[in-house]
């Protein structure tokens, strides 16, 4: 299954004009993926018509709803943006309820719970949208909730939202511009018409011309939308055996490291670690939300051993917080190698007048937060 996911992912991020570079196996499945993509497009169109015609009803909550979503699968910074919004609302005296799907043992929900501990934020988890709707009822009836934040909510049309934020991967924004499963798009790019705000994530790692091209594409669909640029800013490490032990970033400077991740877009994680200053960076990538098994730990241990033989020093294993929160215990089985968890926060990059403060003004204006 892991190999199949990687095969499809390579197709999705290879332009059709460059499809000749794919393997014979990959080229052979493209016609089947294309048919499935066409059927998916028809289903999307029908679903939208059912909602916009009123046959399927959209529910409006008694509190403001902020949706943070994207048009492609994984790696767009949705959850870090949700956390940032939740902190802003809590600091403004508004208790937010975060609704997340709870993929893969709730890695994202666990991370949010840990980061927002001690604030007025609440988290509701549901594997599907009916479950999430039940979470809404439960929290609105039992607690004083001032706003709802949908994590990965752009395609959740049954719930009316007051603010739609579209997150876009600045390194690989649209892939081959095809709908799933042939491409990475959950919806056509015209869906950006519904967005109130666009945030181009990983902008610090992207080439300036590519960012301009992304902005131009967004403007072609939604001319007046405010566009912001964001990055993940590394803060510190903690160890897999002691979450309370904070280790400065400089601890990996001039060291050999192995980046292991099962996230939507591992390139940004690896590049970010590389910027901290290790002498050598190796990587092992798994599909998004992959739950590490004993066989994966064996592969990781073997890779670490090979790096130790190659460089004559013991390498450090670095994982993301999502990977840690998916299963904290299994990462403790890698002795004698040190396992560090990288903690990062989303930051708005000032550019073209769109600063973090101007994004907060958008929240205040659209949600009437005073």
């Amino acid at each position: 299954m892991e190999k199949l996911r990687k095969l499809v992912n390579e197709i999705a991020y290879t332009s059709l004009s460059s499809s000749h570079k794919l393997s014979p196996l990959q080229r052979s499945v493209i016609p089947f993926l294309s048919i499935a993509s066409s059927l998916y497009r028809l289903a999307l169109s029908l679903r939208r018509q059912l909602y916009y015609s009123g046959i399927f009803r959209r529910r409006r909550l008694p509190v403001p709803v902020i949706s943070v979503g994207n048009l492609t699968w994984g790696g767009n910074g949705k959850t870090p943006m949700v956390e940032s919004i939740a902190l802003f609302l809590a600091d403004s005296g508004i208790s937010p309820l975060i609704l997340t799907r709870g993929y893969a043992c709730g890695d994202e929900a666990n991370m949010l719970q840990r980061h927002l501990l001690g604030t007025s934020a609440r988290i509701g988890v549901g594997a599907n949208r009916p479950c999430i709707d039940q979470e809404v009822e439960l929290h609105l009836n039992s607690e004083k909730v001032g706003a709802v934040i949908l994590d990965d909510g752009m395609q959740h049309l049954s719930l009316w939202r007051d603010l739609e934020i579209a997150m876009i991967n600045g390194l690989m924004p649209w892939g081959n511009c095809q709908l799933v499963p042939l491409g990475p798009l959950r919806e056509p790019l015209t869906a950006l018409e519904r967005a109130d705000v666009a945030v181009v994530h990983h902008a610090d790692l992207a080439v300036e011309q590519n960012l301009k091209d992304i902005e131009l594409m967004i403007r072609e669909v939604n001319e007046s939308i405010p566009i912001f640029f964001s990055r993940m800013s590394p803060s510190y490490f903690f160890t897999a055996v002691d979450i309370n032990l904070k280790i400065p970033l400089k601890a990996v400077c001039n060291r050999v490291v192995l980046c292991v991740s099962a996230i939507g877009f591992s390139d940004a994680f690896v590049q970010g670690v590389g910027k901290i200053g290790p002498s050598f960076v190796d990587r092992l990538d798994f599909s998004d939300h992959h739950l590490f098994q004993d066989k994966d730990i064996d592969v990781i241990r073997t890779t670490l051993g090979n790096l130790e033989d190659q460089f004559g020093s013991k390498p450090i294993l670095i994982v993301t917080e999502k990977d840690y929160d998916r299963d904290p215990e299994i990462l403790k089985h890698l002795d004698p190698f040190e396992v560090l968890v990288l903690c990062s926060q989303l930051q708005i990059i000032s550019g073209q007048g769109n600063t973090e403060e101007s994004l907060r003004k958008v929240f205040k204006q659209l949600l009437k937060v005073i």
Side-chain angles (χ1 to χ4, degrees), residues 254-257 279-282 303-315:
N254 302 315
R255 298 288 301 275
V256 175
V257 303
S279 61
F280 181 83
V281 180
D282 199 359
T303 305
L304 288 168
N306 292 338
L307 288 172
E308 184 175 13
D309 293 340
Q310 180 181 352
F311 291 95
S313 63
K314 200 170 292 295

Side-chain angles (χ1 to χ4, degrees), residues 51-169:
Y51 274 108
Y52 295 148
S53 65
I55 296 176
F56 284 179
R57 299 183 62 181
R58 304 186 73 187
R59 181 184 177 195
R60 187 186 288 271
L61 297 181
V63 296
V65 174
I66 303 172
S67 169
V68 181
N70 61 8
L71 299 183
T72 60
W73 61 43
N76 299 271
K78 297 186 303 295
T79 303
M81 175 58 77
V82 166
E83 177 186 334
S84 179
I85 296 171
L87 288 172
F88 166 72
L89 292 176
D91 290 343
S92 301
I94 298 173
S95 299
L97 168 63
I98 300 172
L99 299 179
T100 180
R101 293 178 187 237
Y103 291 117
C105 301
D107 51 2
E108 294 167 343
N110 292 338
M111 185 177 70
L112 286 170
Q113 192 79 53
R114 186 157 42 81
H115 285 193
L116 298 172
L117 187 66
T119 74
S120 60
R122 299 293 178 267
I123 300 174
V125 180
N128 51 55
R129 290 313 183 188
C131 289
I132 282 183
D133 289 343
Q134 293 174 13
E135 286 284 349
V136 172
E137 290 287 354
L138 174 65
H139 286 275
L140 287 181
N141 291 335
S142 62
E143 301 178 40
K144 186 178 180 181
V145 173
V148 168
I149 308 172
L150 283 178
D151 185 0
D152 195 10
M154 195 164 184
Q155 286 75 44
H156 184 38
L157 299 181
S158 65
L159 190 61
W160 181 272
R161 68 285 317 276
D162 300 271
L163 180 64
E164 184 84 78
I165 300 176
M167 302 295 297
I168 298 155
N169 188 337

Side-chain angles (χ1 to χ4, degrees), residues 12 102 114 140 146 158 162 204 207 211 215 226 236 260 346 368 370:
R114 186 157 42 81
L140 287 181
S158 65
D162 300 271
D204 60 316
V207 177
L211 294 177
E215 184 173 6
Y236 61 89
V260 175
L346 183 142
K368 297 181 174 59
I370 301 176

Side-chain angles (χ1 to χ4, degrees), residues 358-370:
S358 57
L359 180 58
R360 292 182 176 183
K361 288 180 180 179
V362 171
F363 296 150
K364 293 176 181 179
Q365 177 182 359
L366 294 179
L367 298 175
K368 297 181 174 59
V369 178
I370 301 176

Side-chain angles (χ1 to χ4, degrees), residues 107 111 260-263 269 286-292 318-328 330-331 341:
D107 51 2
M111 185 177 70
V260 175
S261 61
I263 56 178
F269 166 56
F286 297 85
S287 59
D288 197 13
H289 300 291
H290 175 75
L291 191 61
F292 295 134
I318 301 179
V319 301
T320 71
E321 285 190 89
K322 282 179 61 176
D323 296 309
Y324 170 82
D325 283 313
R326 199 173 302 120
D327 187 352
I330 198 167
L331 293 174
V341 183

Side-chain angles (χ1 to χ4, degrees), residues 11-16 37 41 72 173-180 182-185 187-189 217:
I11 295 173
Y13 285 100
T14 300
S15 65
L16 297 183
S37 183
R41 181 185 294 273
T72 60
W174 327 116
N176 59 10
C177 294
Q178 303 297 314
L179 292 174
V180 295
L182 179 59
L185 290 178
E187 295 185 79
L189 294 180
M217 177 70 77

